[in-house]
Amino acid sequence: RIFNTKTASKVLLKNFAGRIVDLCFAYTDEVLLAIVDDTCAIRVEHLVGANEGAHVAQKVNPTNGWTSDPYAASMECRTVFRIASMDNPSRKFFHRVIWCPWIPDSSNKGGEIDAEEEDSGERYMLACSNDTLVELFSVDLLPDEAAGKPNVQLGRGTPDLDQSAGYLSVREHKAPITDLAMSPDGCALATASLDGHVHFYNIEAPDSETGG
């Protein structure tokens, strides 16, 4: 259950394949919440409502009829995308989900986010771990057919996901991954496992316009 302390509005998220084991809010103006359960099913939800949420909904999709009332009392939850459960998930191991802790350069100068930073894809980068596997998702580059459709799930091992410019997976650890962290510019990822090893990766994010 998500509760807004400013307006006392709340929304219940349900119909998960397993027990929720981790969740994380994105570092964005949009209120994006990533959730992973113990089957490693992943959901990203856009929470719309209260003050800033209503304006965000109008900016993200001005033609869908969402309210632009800045004081809308209700809160809605709209699915951004869903990743289906793994075939044989390692339920007994750790599952983590994190967003890139994106910090715009303009914020350091006390100014507003400029147009170039507004289009930055780093703030939509998401990482998830399951056992020895770590997956990277660039939410704005995932297949369009799954965007905003709560009943459509992207399956691991399918061309729609595996060949997408917004997906990358790595399995190099010999023991279950216990934690992971991403740099604020989205260019580096660190993973730590039960055997005491820490791996560092350079991330080359594809261009959000060309997909390459």
Side-chain angles (χ1 to χ4, degrees):
R1 187 180 297 274
I2 310 298
F3 184 77
N4 188 314
T5 57
K6 291 183 179 180
T7 64
S9 59
K10 55 188 176 182
V11 63
L12 178 65
L13 302 178
K14 53 185 180 180
N15 298 324
F16 288 90
R19 178 176 57 91
I20 294 175
V21 291
D22 200 14
L23 51 82
C24 185
F25 282 99
Y27 297 75
T28 59
D29 290 335
E30 303 97 325
V31 185
L32 299 177
L33 176 65
I35 308 166
V36 61
D37 65 26
D38 62 0
T39 71
C40 213
I42 303 170
R43 281 168 58 175
V44 172
E45 303 285 347
H46 181 191
L47 302 176
V48 181
N51 295 338
E52 68 279 12
H55 284 305
V56 169
Q58 184 72 9
K59 180 177 68 173
V60 170
N61 192 344
T63 63
N64 65 1
W66 296 347
T67 177
S68 60
D69 180 5
Y71 299 102
S74 62
M75 180 165 54
E76 290 185 69
C77 190
R78 296 183 177 269
T79 300
V80 178
F81 77 89
R82 297 176 68 181
I83 304 295
S85 304
M86 288 186 167
D87 292 336
N88 296 296
S90 301
R91 291 175 180 254
K92 65 180 180 180
F93 293 124
F94 297 89
H95 303 264
R96 288 298 317 276
V97 62
I98 64 168
W99 290 93
C100 173
W102 181 73
I103 302 174
D105 291 338
S106 56
S107 65
N108 298 327
K109 305 172 185 177
E112 297 183 355
I113 299 176
D114 57 33
E116 182 177 350
E117 290 177 327
E118 185 71 24
D119 294 332
S120 174
E122 289 84 359
R123 57 181 175 164
Y124 296 111
M125 292 182 64
L126 180 72
C128 182
S129 67
N130 172 57
D131 195 6
T132 59
L133 174 72
V134 60
E135 298 174 294
L136 287 168
F137 303 89
S138 187
V139 175
D140 58 334
L141 295 178
L142 289 174
D144 292 338
E145 58 267 23
K149 299 178 181 178
N151 296 324
V152 176
Q153 299 187 85
L154 294 173
R156 295 176 174 89
T158 63
D160 284 344
L161 182 62
D162 289 358
Q163 297 177 15
S164 167
Y167 177 75
L168 177 66
S169 64
V170 179
R171 190 189 293 272
E172 292 187 348
H173 281 282
K174 303 301 181 183
I177 296 170
T178 57
D179 207 354
L180 59 165
M182 197 181 303
S183 63
D185 60 3
C187 292
L189 176 72
T191 59
S193 63
L194 279 176
D195 59 8
H197 289 188
V198 177
H199 291 186
F200 294 91
Y201 303 93
N202 289 325
I203 304 172
E204 294 185 4
D207 186 278
S208 59
E209 294 184 357
T210 64

